[in-house]
Every structure is written in structure tokens, then in C-alpha cells.
Amino acid sequence: QQMNEVLGISSEFMQKGLPESLLTNLTSDVMKLYGDKNLENGADVSIMNVNGHRATLPKGEITLGNLFEVYSFDNTITFLEVKGEDLIKIFEAYARMGGSGISSNARIVAKDKKLKSATLDGKTIDTSKIYNVVTIDYLADGNNGMKALRDAVSINNTGITLRDIMIDYVREQTALGKQISSQLDGRIIIE
């Protein structure tokens, strides 16, 4: 009965896909928002895998059950401090995979499975800088081609599931009278 509770309204049908998709973009952006709220200096970028989404999000009513279906894993939000050089390795892995989930402040361009360019907030990645990355424990452990995340300077597993932050986000947007929406914005371009 609890699973039938309507938490919000989605303005469009969302599914996962490559190089970017409405669903992976939504998840990545909510993860970055969470990092911005909970990290002292905010989050520089969020990183999410495509197959962390196990269902589609319908257009119209979003129930608690829908969110349990989409986010069926108990993945927990993990904050990492990552060296710029390792962040570039992550984006090179994205180029090889043909895309993945990333926050909207990132722009990645790849061609022939090679990284052509990568920027955050319009700036190229500084190899000597430390970046605040929001991800899930599964990726922080180096799975799904994210080996470079194992070299993080620091790791803080919040113990809070991705599902919970998505549920909270839908509830918050609904309380503000807003629908859940997402867009394809060219954050990952495969030429």
C-alpha cells in the first residue's frame, strides 16, 4: 500500500541510455545538488552509472514504488576528493564507454572512444587540483570502469542511499509545486 503513495508528477517519460539520457541526467543532477548542500565547498561534479537505473520513470504520477523500481540497489551516496589527473582518467573511461551519468555543469566530448575535451563549469580540468566528487559506493569501489576513483585522496560514504535522496528530491519539488523534469543538454557528446 505504501508503494502506491504518489510523491510527485513527472513532466515526461524518462529512461536510461547513452551517451546521456533524461533519467541519468536527472539522477546525476540531484546527486550534485545533494553534494552542494552537504559539502563545505559544494560538489564539483557528480558521477553515476547508467545501469544503476533498473526501470523507467513514467510520465505523470510518480509513486514510491516507481522510485524503488528505478533505484532498486541500496547504493549509498559517497563523497570523494579526487585529483584532477584521476578525474581525467574517469572522463577517458566515459569516452571508451560511450557516455554515462554526469552532472549538468560538465561537458565531455569524445570521438573514436577517445576523450577530446572535458570541462567543469566551463573550465578545463586542472590536473593538480583536488575535486569534490559525488558518486555511489559501487563506483567509488572502482567498478564499472571507474578504477581511478580508487585513488581518491579521501572517501566519505554517507550511508544514505541514492534512493532516499531521490525520494526526498521528488517530495521537495512537489512541495514547491514543481514537476520532476529533465533535459538532454549536450553534457556528453560523442562525435
Side-chain angles (χ1 to χ4, degrees):
Q1 200 177 345
Q2 211 182 346
M3 289 296 163
N4 294 327
E5 183 194 347
V6 175
L7 302 184
I9 304 287
S10 174
S11 61
E12 61 252 299
F13 170 76
M14 297 185 211
Q15 60 186 6
K16 65 181 182 184
L18 294 171
E20 60 172 317
S21 70
L22 292 175
L23 190 53
T24 44
N25 286 3
L26 172 70
T27 306
S28 303
D29 289 344
V30 174
M31 287 168 69
K32 182 171 184 309
L33 277 174
Y34 185 80
D36 286 341
K37 276 187 205 158
N38 292 282
L39 287 165
E40 197 178 325
N41 299 314
D44 291 305
V45 66
S46 72
I47 289 171
M48 179 59 191
N49 60 324
V50 173
N51 290 326
H53 304 84
R54 303 310 284 183
T56 56
L57 202 61
K59 180 179 174 157
E61 292 185 345
I62 303 171
T63 63
L64 186 60
N66 292 138
L67 294 173
F68 267 83
E69 284 168 11
V70 175
Y71 306 101
S72 59
F73 301 112
D74 292 326
N75 290 323
T76 49
I77 297 291
T78 305
F79 297 143
L80 307 175
E81 289 183 312
V82 176
K83 294 192 289 277
E85 58 185 313
D86 290 321
L87 200 53
I88 290 168
K89 287 178 191 167
I90 294 300
F91 296 158
E92 287 170 345
Y94 271 40
R96 287 192 296 278
M97 293 188 289
S100 201
I102 199 159
S103 48
S104 64
N105 63 316
R107 288 291 177 270
I108 295 173
V109 180
K111 186 177 181 179
D112 302 325
K113 297 193 182 289
K114 294 208 177 347
L115 184 66
K116 274 181 74 176
S117 68
T119 60
L120 292 178
D121 300 308
K123 299 185 189 83
T124 49
I125 311 297
D126 179 346
T127 52
S128 62
K129 191 180 163 202
I130 304 290
Y131 290 88
N132 287 324
V133 176
V134 183
T135 189
I136 52 173
D137 56 338
Y138 174 75
L139 297 181
D141 290 341
N143 294 305
N144 206 60
M146 301 291 107
K147 237 176 25 233
L149 290 182
R150 285 193 209 141
D151 298 322
V153 178
S154 77
I155 297 182
N156 171 19
N157 186 332
T158 65
I160 295 166
T161 66
L162 171 60
R163 182 191 313 119
D164 282 342
I165 74 160
M166 295 306 296
I167 290 169
D168 288 347
Y169 174 78
V170 173
R171 287 187 198 276
E172 280 163 18
Q173 293 302 300
T174 303
L176 294 169
K178 294 181 182 172
Q179 293 193 354
I180 304 306
S181 63
S182 181
Q183 59 190 39
L184 300 176
D185 51 20
R187 59 186 76 178
I188 302 178
I189 293 170
I190 309 293
E191 291 182 341

